[in-house]
Amino acid sequence: MNINIDGYNINYCVTGEGEETAVILQGWGTNLHVYDSVASAINGKMRVIQFDLPGFGESDEPREAWNVDAFTDFFCKFMEALGIKKAALIGHSYGGRMIIKLASRESIPFEITNIVLIDSAGVLPVRTFRQKVKIRRYKTLKKIFDIKVVYALFPELVDDWRSRQGSEDYKNASPVMRSCLVMAVNEDLTELLPKIKQDTLLIWGDKDTATPIRDAKIMEEKIPNNGLCILEGCGHFSFLEKPAQFREIMRAYFSIGAAE
């Protein structure tokens, strides 16, 4: 299905029925169907909404670079457009970053009943000395290679260097979405965590290298009402690596019995 919000065509789907609603906020660079198994774990009891953020999946890309707050503002408009007044929010990676923003705001146009954060982003990584040196070197070379004369003299060298920089998410993104990603990863949301008042479930892969288990421990310490479930041997997409165990955790958290 599609809905138009502020001139953007947004792709979404709804599964399940029930008085309660859950909305899944996706990780960076994914599409809504990556989270079909997350939805199927609970849509026997609840109505579950999956959607593609602007610039993700089949939704239109932002016309300019958005920071996390801009994506969060847009999500509020999405909820209003669908007439959702109350919902549980489930966020993976970047989606978790958005939920932290939402839950820490003084006022939003809907009620968050409870939260599930899956390998969530939001905590700024601790950089080693070697990483700091690498970043300084990158910034220095970028300034040099951005000079038009330098590019005119050595176009192949500059293009080759640029093609090898950044994460896979960064390399695969459009220029606008790259700017969005840079703004996101450089923002630390740790100070917002104590403002989350909703009951929160943290689900994490202990082998996650994108948002390491250290981040989960910080969230466990800072968020007032939470519980942490660790999926051993799993990485950043823990819900896909151990789907049966993930399903059991979700169904227990949302009080869904074996017969449902």
Side-chain angles (χ1 to χ4, degrees):
M1 294 186 287
N2 279 276
I3 187 171
N4 191 283
I5 302 172
D6 285 353
Y8 293 101
N9 288 313
I10 302 301
N11 182 44
Y12 77 103
C13 70
V14 181
T15 58
E17 297 179 353
E19 296 181 1
E20 300 175 64
T21 298
V23 184
I24 300 174
L25 286 83
Q26 70 203 121
W28 187 270
T30 63
N31 67 75
L32 63 84
H33 292 298
V34 170
Y35 304 92
D36 286 349
S37 62
V38 178
S40 67
I42 59 174
N43 62 11
K45 177 185 178 182
M46 310 172 72
R47 179 177 66 145
V48 181
I49 296 170
Q50 299 161 250
F51 74 106
D52 286 326
L53 287 163
F56 296 71
E58 297 180 21
S59 291
D60 292 343
E61 184 175 287
R63 290 181 282 273
E64 59 186 9
W66 287 3
N67 60 17
V68 182
D69 281 302
F71 275 104
T72 302
D73 291 341
F74 188 88
F75 175 66
C76 289
K77 293 179 181 180
F78 174 78
M79 295 290 275
E80 288 185 293
L82 293 185
I84 301 172
K85 300 296 184 182
K86 180 188 294 188
L89 299 185
I90 302 167
H92 170 241
S93 194
Y94 187 85
R97 189 186 290 275
M98 290 177 60
I99 292 174
I100 293 169
K101 284 277 192 176
L102 283 162
S104 63
R105 288 185 175 184
E106 292 185 4
S107 177
I108 56 175
F110 62 93
E111 177 187 348
I112 304 173
T113 57
N114 48 328
I115 293 169
V116 179
L117 298 178
I118 308 166
D119 297 290
S120 175
V123 176
L124 202 65
V126 176
R127 294 192 173 105
T128 64
F129 175 76
R130 185 176 179 180
Q131 288 172 324
K132 291 178 180 178
V133 171
K134 185 177 179 181
I135 291 170
R136 283 199 295 269
R137 181 173 179 271
Y138 164 79
K139 290 181 177 179
T140 300
L141 287 173
K142 186 177 185 300
K143 287 181 180 178
I144 294 171
F145 289 157
D146 282 346
I147 299 172
K148 292 182 179 180
V149 174
V150 174
Y151 184 79
L153 291 172
F154 310 103
E156 293 183 2
L157 174 65
V158 175
D159 288 341
D160 177 67
W161 179 82
R162 286 174 175 168
S163 70
R164 291 184 283 105
Q165 305 309 307
S167 65
E168 288 304 312
D169 283 338
Y170 183 84
K171 293 175 185 176
N172 294 332
S174 69
V176 168
M177 296 306 289
R178 284 181 180 179
S179 296
C180 296
L181 180 58
V182 169
M183 285 189 282
V185 299
N186 287 310
E187 185 176 12
D188 189 5
L189 306 185
T190 303
E191 64 178 18
L192 300 182
L193 298 176
K195 297 181 180 181
I196 299 175
K197 304 306 178 187
Q198 294 84 357
D199 186 83
T200 302
L201 172 63
L202 306 170
I203 304 177
W204 232 272
D206 65 345
K207 302 302 182 184
D208 191 339
T209 56
T211 54
I213 195 68
R214 167 189 169 273
D215 296 3
K217 297 294 186 180
I218 291 173
M219 292 189 186
E220 183 183 28
E221 176 188 348
K222 300 289 186 181
I223 297 174
N225 303 301
N226 77 85
L228 172 61
C229 292
I230 298 175
L231 297 180
E232 296 183 358
C234 293
H236 193 53
F237 288 81
S238 58
F239 61 97
L240 293 178
E241 295 178 60
K242 286 195 173 178
Q245 189 174 345
F246 177 86
R247 180 182 177 86
E248 290 178 6
I249 293 169
M250 291 288 284
R251 289 173 70 82
Y253 182 67
F254 286 102
S255 302
I256 301 174
E260 295 180 87

